Amino acid sequence: MAEYHAQNKAKLISETRRRFEAEYVTDKPDKYDPRDVERLQQDDNWVESYLLWRHNVVDETLKMLDESFQWRKEMSVNDLTESSIPRWLLEIGGIYLHGYDKEGNKLFWIRVKYHVKDHKTMLDKKKLIAFWLERYAKRENGKPVTVMFDLSETGINSIDMDFVRFIINCFKVYYPKYLSKMVIFDMPWIMNAAFKIVKSWLGPEAVSLLKFTSKNEVQDYVSVEYLPPHMGGTDPFKYSYPPLVDDDFQTPLCENGPIASEDEASSKEDIESDGKETLETVSNEEQTTLLKKINVTEHTSKAEENEKVDSKMKAFKKPLSVFKGPLLHISPAEELYFGSTESGEKKTLIVLTNVTKNVVAFKVRTTAPEKYRVKPSNSSCDPGASVDIVVSPHGGLTVSAQDRFLIMAAEMEQSSGTGPAELTQFWKEVPRNKVMEHRLRCHIVESSKPTTLTLKDSGFNMSDKTSEDLYLQLNRLLESNRKLEDQVQRCIWFQQLLLSLTMLLLAFVISFFYLLYS
């Protein structure tokens, strides 16, 4: 079945490419940017994203490609840079990428209060949307985003349906399959009619992706650590420019010496405090393992390291996977598996293997640097060699599924040294296009230990009757809570109805007096 599906997909991709070239490109070659046409012939994922959005109907896919490619050329999407956008638009902070939702999707923020309807600046604002989406699409090929429409403190001047239509078209036509959901926060009641029109633009399938939320409901989709205070969150992030808001990857705590990165100024404090805690927290088992790695011969060390990797990975529910990059093979390929508190295995392992003929410099960064200890976080790997990177939560902090790790690697010249000073200088000078980047998500492995055993081990010997009583009490509490929530919802609905009737009455009175005295 899987083989048939793969063959059918390949056939559809091939047919789409052939027909687009024959029916659209041949007659009007100047209609599109040649770089887009070339990418269409080479990038299977790109073609597949359009096909999936059009339910694998090739005719519909071709129309969508035609519209999308024309727009890309008109907007010069492939050439959009920071210099293409007016500086004041970047400084105001109305549109940017920051944080993740509970499913691990990147958050695309649109702060509507900063938008004022103005036809003179509309093109620049559209370019800013395209700039961010294209920047994200090139870096995270195929990974969806969650659009955060923040309507708090929004006035009538900020309502611009043309701009909303453009944003919707971006996800309907220009960047298919990139929309995870659209979270609309704190929408004023006066905009209800406007969003009925928006729903008609989205179509029936995409309407289900609209999530209307208040301060309490928004936390169903985004955890408090990535929500600003006015949404009930704890995220201390404050937008500023420059530089551009990016993935927010920073250097984590380190145990193996100076950090060769832009955070070097603050690394000494991290290392000193981390070193003290290491002496207190490293278990006897870890110390024994470290001593073994120092004393064994070179021939046996690799075998022991491989056994160590295998033994650690056996505890995880999913099999070991490998990302095969041009410079490094990285294992695991996509997710770092951390054990829960109950399972006991809190740390995890990243294995890097150098597949080049030169030394490869690498460094590890994370979106939550205060949470994790990484050793080594910045070092180098000899040709054909492997390096084990141990990642563990720092100071008993909780692992979150929204946390991310970034592994950066670049090939060094043979004459280059690999000391801290040389690595610092190397990362300052290496061109961006020479750096390989790979991102890893965090995954928490739940304990397979039965709850009854956990209770027994903890010394709780409850009788069946006591357990049943607790169960009934819990049910009563849940039922009371549900009734209370229903009452609150009815009160809110009644307040909204009363407000609407008041506004209608006020409008009627104004109209009456206007007719009376006109």
Side-chain angles (χ1 to χ4, degrees):
M1 179 63 72
E3 185 178 351
Y4 171 78
H5 179 72
Q7 290 176 350
N8 188 52
K9 182 176 74 173
K11 182 180 178 182
L12 287 169
I13 291 173
S14 177
E15 182 183 356
T16 301
R17 285 171 171 160
R18 178 184 58 78
R19 288 187 56 186
F20 188 75
E21 185 75 31
E23 298 173 23
Y24 290 85
V25 179
T26 304
D27 295 338
K28 297 179 180 179
D30 298 332
K31 194 177 181 181
Y32 316 114
D33 187 326
R35 289 168 290 185
D36 291 332
V37 177
E38 183 180 358
R39 181 185 169 192
L40 187 74
Q41 297 298 330
Q42 297 174 353
D43 190 342
D44 288 355
N45 289 332
W46 206 29
V47 183
E48 188 180 5
S49 68
Y50 285 96
L51 279 166
L52 288 173
W53 198 245
R54 287 294 180 243
H55 305 287
N56 290 329
V57 178
V58 176
D59 287 336
E60 295 297 319
T61 303
L62 293 174
K63 293 176 185 177
M64 187 177 179
L65 282 167
D66 176 51
E67 183 179 349
S68 178
F69 280 24
Q70 286 188 66
W71 171 81
R72 290 178 65 85
K73 184 173 182 180
E74 289 169 7
M75 295 287 289
S76 301
V77 172
N78 289 312
D79 298 314
L80 285 177
T81 61
E82 285 180 65
S83 59
S84 309
I85 314 297
R87 186 181 175 92
W88 70 268
L89 266 180
L90 293 169
E91 289 176 341
I92 199 171
I95 299 166
Y96 56 87
L97 288 160
H98 171 70
Y100 299 88
D101 68 6
K102 287 189 173 181
E103 296 175 349
N105 302 312
K106 193 73 177 174
L107 299 179
F108 186 41
W109 291 87
I110 300 176
R111 306 290 303 280
V112 182
K113 73 175 184 178
Y114 294 120
H115 176 80
V116 178
K117 189 173 182 179
D118 183 0
H119 292 293
K120 294 179 181 178
T121 61
M122 179 57 70
L123 180 59
D124 288 327
K125 290 172 183 175
K126 289 180 177 180
K127 283 185 176 181
L128 180 58
I129 292 282
F131 166 76
W132 276 117
L133 290 178
E134 185 68 11
R135 178 183 172 88
Y136 177 82
K138 286 179 177 177
R139 188 175 59 199
E140 303 283 358
N141 188 17
K143 293 183 180 179
V145 296
T146 292
V147 178
M148 297 293 290
F149 254 108
D150 183 2
L151 291 164
S152 57
E153 303 177 45
T154 300
I156 299 295
N157 291 338
S158 301
I159 301 175
D160 189 344
M161 300 310 292
D162 290 337
F163 190 53
V164 174
R165 183 194 286 270
F166 172 77
I167 294 170
I168 289 171
N169 274 340
C170 281
F171 291 104
K172 276 187 67 177
V173 182
Y174 313 140
Y175 294 91
K177 301 300 288 182
Y178 271 93
L179 181 63
S180 166
K181 55 188 162 292
M182 191 176 288
V183 179
I184 299 161
F185 176 77
D186 201 17
M187 188 180 75
W189 66 271
I190 199 171
M191 294 182 67
N192 283 334
F195 266 87
K196 286 182 180 178
I197 300 172
V198 170
K199 288 181 179 179
S200 68
W201 293 341
L202 280 169
E205 290 183 1
V207 164
S208 62
L209 303 179
L210 289 179
K211 311 295 179 184
F212 294 89
T213 63
S214 61
K215 186 181 286 189
N216 293 329
E217 296 159 339
V218 72
Q219 294 178 23
D220 293 340
Y221 306 103
V222 183
S223 59
V224 292
E225 63 185 305
Y226 287 122
L227 287 175
H230 75 273
M231 288 186 175
T234 59
D235 189 357
F237 170 79
K238 293 187 182 299
Y239 180 91
S240 63
Y241 175 84
L244 280 172
V245 181
D246 211 325
D247 265 339
D248 309 312
F249 285 101
Q250 301 173 42
T251 303
L253 296 175
C254 177
E255 292 183 9
N256 66 311
I259 299 172
S261 73
E262 49 273 13
D263 302 310
E264 190 173 2
S266 60
S267 64
K268 290 184 179 179
E269 295 180 4
D270 291 339
I271 296 165
E272 288 174 4
S273 61
D274 195 31
K276 290 177 184 177
E277 293 183 14
T278 303
L279 294 174
E280 298 171 0
T281 57
V282 174
S283 65
N284 292 331
E285 183 182 351
E286 290 174 279
Q287 291 175 4
T288 305
T289 306
L290 289 170
L291 288 172
K292 283 182 179 179
K293 289 183 75 174
I294 294 172
N295 295 325
V296 292
T297 61
E298 290 184 4
H299 293 290
T300 58
S301 63
K302 286 186 179 180
E304 288 187 0
E305 287 175 9
N306 290 335
E307 289 176 6
K308 178 182 168 184
V309 173
D310 292 339
S311 64
K312 283 183 177 292
M313 294 303 175
K314 281 177 184 177
F316 302 145
K317 293 183 178 180
K318 291 188 178 181
L320 182 64
S321 55
V322 179
F323 166 77
K324 297 183 178 180
L327 305 181
L328 296 174
H329 285 184
I330 302 172
S331 176
E334 295 182 353
E335 293 183 327
L336 288 178
Y337 290 87
F338 292 88
S340 63
T341 304
E342 293 80 7
S343 64
E345 185 60 47
K346 295 180 181 179
K347 64 179 176 237
T348 189
L349 197 68
I350 303 173
V351 181
L352 307 181
T353 303
N354 185 348
V355 294
T356 72
K357 296 181 180 180
N358 294 316
V359 174
V360 171
F362 68 86
K363 59 181 176 179
V364 182
R365 311 196 80 186
T366 177
T367 55
E370 73 285 350
K371 282 188 181 182
Y372 298 97
R373 180 188 293 114
V374 176
K375 54 177 183 179
S377 67
N378 196 323
S379 188
S380 60
C381 186
D382 293 331
S386 294
V387 174
D388 291 352
I389 300 174
V390 179
V391 182
S392 55
H394 173 62
L397 294 172
T398 305
V399 176
S400 172
Q402 284 79 44
D403 297 339
R404 296 287 184 277
F405 281 83
L406 171 69
I407 297 171
M408 303 172 67
E411 203 168 2
M412 303 182 73
E413 296 180 0
Q414 293 182 356
S415 58
S416 302
T418 57
E422 289 84 358
L423 285 172
T424 300
Q425 191 63 29
F426 172 77
W427 285 112
K428 287 180 180 178
E429 297 176 352
V430 65
R432 179 80 176 180
N433 61 354
K434 299 291 184 181
V435 178
M436 171 193 133
E437 294 186 352
H438 184 66
R439 290 163 175 76
L440 296 171
R441 301 187 297 272
C442 290
H443 185 88
I444 303 169
V445 181
E446 298 299 333
S447 172
S448 58
K449 196 174 183 180
T451 307
T452 52
L453 291 177
T454 305
L455 292 172
K456 185 177 179 181
D457 292 342
S458 302
F460 291 96
N461 296 316
M462 292 191 290
S463 65
D464 291 341
K465 185 177 180 180
T466 306
S467 301
E468 186 177 350
D469 291 341
L470 286 173
Y471 179 77
L472 291 172
Q473 289 178 16
L474 181 60
N475 274 345
R476 290 193 197 100
L477 284 172
L478 290 173
E479 182 65 22
S480 299
N481 186 51
R482 187 185 63 79
K483 289 179 179 178
L484 182 61
E485 287 179 353
D486 289 342
Q487 289 175 2
V488 171
Q489 289 296 328
R490 282 196 293 270
C491 288
I492 292 172
W493 176 82
F494 180 78
Q495 286 178 348
Q496 291 177 342
L497 177 62
L498 187 62
L499 180 61
S500 299
L501 290 173
T502 303
M503 294 298 292
L504 286 171
L505 181 60
L506 182 61
F508 175 80
V509 171
I510 293 171
S511 301
F512 176 80
F513 280 101
Y514 177 80
L515 293 171
L516 186 63
Y517 291 103
S518 61

